[in-house]
Structure formats: structure tokens, C-alpha cells
Amino acid sequence: MPHSPRPRSPLSALRRRNRATVVLAALLACAVPLAGCERTPPRPNILLVSLDTTRADHLSAYGYGQPTSPFLAELAAEGALFRRAYASAPATAPSHATMFTALSPLSHRVVRNAVTLGEQHVTLAERLAGAGYETAAVVSSFVLNARFGLAQGFASYDDEFDREGASVSWRRWEGLELTGAFDRRADVTTDRALAWLAAGRRDAPFFLFVHYFDPHDPYEPPPSYRGRFAGPADVADADRRRQVALYDGEIAFVDDQLRRLCAGLAAMGLADDTLVIVVGDHGEGLWQRGYQFHGAQITEEAVRVPWIVRWPAGIRPGRETGLPVTMADLLPTVCELVGVSAGDGAVHGRSLASFLREGEAPPDRPVFLYRIPYEPHEEYGVWVDGEKHAVRYGRWKYLASATEHTTELYDLNADPGETRDLGAVETGVAADMAGLLDDWLEAVTRPDSLTIRPELSDTDREKLRSLGYVR
């Protein structure tokens, strides 16, 4: 019986090169001025929507078998869909800090929830406000409270919630006393966002950030959504099936609220020239490998998130790519699309505007992932100790934790569920991926990683161009 050849490593061509070249590329992806950034006003409005705890593979637009999100599917058909988008970390604050700064958690240092983003970082809202945008945010969880630094650049930041109707009853969180509720539901958030839009000035474009929390546990959608879906048939435990069905109901509730928000835009005559971006901050375990929640793992269900873009005046409908992208790409992409400077500092994402505008495929490049630090203990059945890191490149994904003394290697094309560790078989691939990850960690944690401006030789520039980082 003929045997199948082993999948080749995407790093095979790099074995004769300096791995740091790839890391340098990631750091320099937006270190030069963006070509074509100048744009004649008026600029489009921007609506950025963040879906908390939303797995991409539980959305209709991503092929889920239940109709959880018909509006998001419509939105994707009218614009663009990134099929393999990754959050930087499986936690809300680190992930949002990366969206707003285009930096890895290891650089912006919001490595877990309840850590404050430093004022030295220039956020997306600050860049847009500096370009004349009217900025506002309506958030739905105390995790994004203004005290944690994510309100930088927003003229209006709605982050106070009534206890009535909240889904989480906590009075203390991360050692902090809560004077109000921990969260609010999607219908109230939508009401607040529509009220801000209705009261807004029209002498400047707006940037409105809306955060929906509902798919987060506890999974308690409104009554009309509770019996809408059946749980997964391959889950034997009836209570777990019921919990997944309720989680899907939460997604459906948010989908309907997002439809209502966009319908409000249309009613105000704002839909055609509003850039609508819907992203996720992280996923949820849902017992896929014995773990219900998020935070402890950086496997695909924890970090694969939606990213959908619609802008009728600027993006042709039906664009789609399966090449990996990351939430660090959000800031440079938005800035190039609307003609606002993304700054001249090194960041850890690159603009995807060419794909959105012209359909030019984004490069296949390394995506780096971060597991928030833990004191050693068992986290709902998963042993955690310190930090964990991962890199996805091509078909391969490599995970490593120095404190847990573990490494793993998966072929995501053949094994998307990450069930077969090939580290002991594909030793050359594992070594290449480990080296790539080590060089990245060294680069993003050294003190001058955001201030250096190394000049690239013609040879290095050609190497980077072949990898898709430099044009």
C-alpha cells in the first residue's frame, strides 16, 4: 500500500535563513507610512462591533449547522469575511487592547483582565479623534470599564450599568468592589447606541464602538431564544447539550440586536457610507476538550473569532479569504481604509485594505497567540501554570509553555480539532516553529522593541516581500 507523503513545512524555505527576519517583518509590518492613505474628505463613519465570547464556528456565516446568526451572514454577503481570524488572547481586556493598539499583549502589557492600558499607547480612537472623528463607545461589561485605559480617545464612553436585568450578579471582581452591575444585555446596549447616534452631530464623521457581552456565561438568553436550538448530537451529557443550545441562543439574540442597530443606521440615512466592522474578542471551550470556558487554552475554539466588514461605498460584496489574519491587523486596516495615519511606529499587524478594496489576497504569515498568565492550579479541569504561547504558520500550529513544560504541534489542515500532536513525528517542523516563536518572544519583549527603526537591506526587503510583509 503506497504511503502518503508527510505534509511539508511552510518553513522549509526559511531553514537557510535567519528566523529573526520573519519576526522583524511582523514588527515592521506598519513601520513605514501607508501608501495611499491620503483621502479627500468626507471620510466614512465607522461602526466597530465587538462580540464577546463568540466562537466563529458557531455562526451561520462560518458554516455552523444551526441558524444562529442570519444577519451576520447577510452582512458578510454584502461585504467581506475573514474565515480564519484570530484573537490575540482568549481574554477580553488583552484582546481589546490589541484591537485598539495593534500590539501584542506582550508589548501593550495588558496580559490579563483588570490590567490598565498605559497612556503612552496611541489607540485607534485617539488616531481617529485626532483626524476629526466624533468618537463614542457603548460597552456591556465591567471588564471594559474606563478605569482600565481602553476609553483613551473616546469623547463619550458609556460603561455604567443598572443591576436590574444584568446577567452576572457579582459584587466583587478581581479584588474590586462594583458599585453598579457587572454587565448589561444586548437590547439595552443597542438602545444606548441608537440614542447616541440619534443625538450625534452631523458636521463630522463618527467612530462608534459597541461591545456585546451576552454569549459570555451564564448562558441565559431571553425566553424566546431559549428553546430555539438543539444542542450538539455528539454530546452525550444532556445538561451540556442544553448549555450549548443556550449559548447559541445568546448569539441569536445578539445577532437580532445587531440587525436592529444597523437598521437604525439605515433609517438615519447613514448605512451606505458607514464602514461596519464586526469582530470577536475570543471564543469559548464548550467542553470541546473537557473545558467549558475561556482563558486557559489557546486552541482553535478559544481564539478563532469572526471578522466581517461591510462598507457599500468602499467594498465590493462577496469578498472572502481563508488565510489567517489577526486582531492586530484591525487598526492599520481601518486607518488605511479611511485615510488616517496609523503612525510611524512598529506595530504587530498589517493593513488588509488591499484585500477589502481590490480583493488582493493577504499574505500567509505567522500568527502569534498568547495565553494569559496563571498561578499554578487546576482551572475547571485544565492544569495551568504561567504563560503559554503559540504560533500558527501555514498548515501548522505550535504551542509551548516553559512553566508547564509542554510543547505541541498540529497540522490544522488534516486535524482542525487539534487532536493529534505531531511533535514527536515532525521534529524538523517543530524545531522550526519553536525557533520562530522564540525569536518573536525575544523581539516583542525587549525594551526597545517599539522604538527601533532598523533599515532593511535590499536582500532582507526581498525576503520580507516573498513572505508577504513588504510590498
Side-chain angles (χ1 to χ4, degrees):
M1 178 176 180
H3 92 222
S4 301
R6 293 178 182 172
R8 296 183 62 186
S9 166
L11 296 179
S12 58
L14 293 178
R15 288 174 181 167
R16 298 183 299 275
R17 303 177 184 173
N18 183 352
R19 291 187 307 260
T21 300
V22 182
V23 175
L24 178 63
L27 289 170
L28 295 179
C30 290
V32 295
L34 294 170
C37 277
E38 295 305 317
R39 178 185 173 94
T40 303
R43 295 180 168 119
N45 304 306
I46 305 167
L47 171 62
L48 172 62
V49 178
S50 167
L51 308 179
D52 210 298
T53 323
T54 301
R55 287 175 57 151
D57 63 355
H58 274 247
L59 299 177
S60 308
Y62 287 82
Y64 190 49
Q66 306 266 13
T68 55
S69 52
F71 178 67
L72 280 174
E74 293 172 20
L75 205 70
E78 295 169 1
L81 179 143
F82 294 97
R83 193 153 290 280
R84 290 181 176 84
Y86 284 88
S88 60
T92 296
S95 186
H96 281 87
T98 293
M99 291 181 205
F100 290 169
T101 66
L103 299 176
S104 161
L106 292 166
S107 290
H108 61 58
R109 300 309 302 165
V110 181
V111 295
R112 58 178 178 82
N113 292 335
V115 173
T116 301
L117 179 68
E119 293 183 359
Q120 73 273 22
H121 298 298
V122 182
T123 66
L124 176 60
E126 288 177 304
R127 296 191 186 283
L128 294 172
Y133 273 80
E134 183 181 5
T135 58
V138 184
V139 303
S140 301
S141 167
F142 183 75
V143 182
L144 299 185
N145 189 277
R147 72 174 66 192
F148 302 123
L150 294 173
Q152 293 174 202
F154 288 105
S156 171
Y157 199 83
D158 186 340
D159 63 351
E160 295 185 1
F161 322 130
D162 295 330
R163 291 194 182 277
E164 184 178 353
S167 64
V168 178
S169 59
W170 298 336
R171 299 300 179 99
R172 288 181 61 83
W173 178 77
E174 296 287 344
L176 300 171
E177 294 284 348
L178 304 184
T179 57
F182 184 82
D183 70 309
R184 65 175 157 210
R185 295 188 183 272
D187 52 348
V188 180
T189 293
T190 302
D191 290 343
R192 301 287 294 180
L194 289 172
W196 184 86
L197 285 168
R201 303 189 311 273
R202 291 294 169 258
D203 57 350
F206 66 77
F207 169 47
L208 175 61
F209 168 60
V210 178
H211 164 252
Y212 289 115
F213 184 68
D214 301 70
H216 197 286
D217 73 284
Y219 317 129
E220 295 177 351
S224 61
Y225 295 84
R226 290 179 188 171
R228 186 172 294 190
F229 303 107
D234 59 347
V235 175
D237 184 278
D239 183 62
R240 291 186 179 183
R241 285 200 308 274
R242 182 181 65 84
Q243 289 291 316
V244 175
L246 291 172
Y247 171 81
D248 289 343
E250 293 274 34
I251 291 176
F253 175 47
V254 170
D255 187 71
D256 282 346
Q257 292 305 311
L258 183 55
R259 181 187 294 276
R260 186 162 72 94
L261 178 59
C262 290
L265 276 177
M268 297 176 197
L270 301 171
D272 284 349
D273 206 34
T274 294
L275 171 62
V276 177
I277 305 168
V278 181
V279 295
D281 69 343
H282 56 76
E284 187 80 319
L286 298 179
W287 299 279
Q288 183 166 326
R289 56 195 84 242
Y291 178 62
Q292 178 182 354
F293 303 115
H294 55 271
Q297 295 174 330
I298 44 178
T299 39
E300 294 291 280
E301 70 275 7
V303 289
R304 278 277 305 281
V305 294
W307 188 354
I308 294 169
V309 182
R310 184 189 70 181
W311 180 19
I315 297 173
R316 293 182 62 183
R319 298 211 188 281
E320 182 177 322
T321 179
L323 291 173
V325 298
T326 168
M327 287 302 114
D329 299 330
L330 179 66
L331 181 151
T333 298
V334 171
C335 286
E336 183 169 0
L337 283 175
V338 304
V340 170
S341 172
D344 61 356
V347 295
H348 302 153
R350 73 164 293 169
S351 173
L352 303 169
S354 292
F355 163 71
L356 293 171
R357 282 176 171 159
E358 287 89 38
E360 179 182 324
D364 189 5
R365 57 200 163 92
V367 168
F368 297 93
L369 307 167
Y370 175 72
R371 205 275 310 278
I372 61 177
Y374 285 94
E375 293 296 321
H377 74 289
E378 189 173 277
E379 179 78 0
Y380 298 102
V382 177
W383 177 256
V384 291
D385 181 3
E387 298 174 320
K388 194 170 189 175
H389 306 276
V391 54
R392 179 193 170 143
Y393 191 26
R395 67 193 303 157
W396 300 103
K397 184 175 177 183
Y398 177 81
L399 303 90
S401 171
T403 47
E404 293 174 4
H405 308 289
T406 59
T407 61
E408 303 161 74
L409 177 71
Y410 299 103
D411 178 352
L412 293 182
N413 285 3
D415 178 27
E418 297 162 287
T419 61
R420 298 185 298 277
D421 181 0
L422 300 179
V425 178
E426 296 286 351
T427 55
V429 176
D432 283 337
M433 298 290 275
L436 183 57
L437 182 57
D438 287 345
D439 287 338
W440 166 261
L441 295 177
E442 180 183 1
V444 299
T445 56
R446 68 174 183 260
D448 64 348
S449 65
L450 300 182
T451 58
I452 56 172
R453 301 287 186 273
E455 293 295 325
L456 297 178
S457 68
D458 291 342
T459 300
D460 281 344
R461 186 171 295 278
E462 185 56 39
K463 290 177 182 178
L464 298 186
R465 185 176 291 111
S466 71
L467 288 168
Y469 287 99
V470 174
R471 298 185 185 186

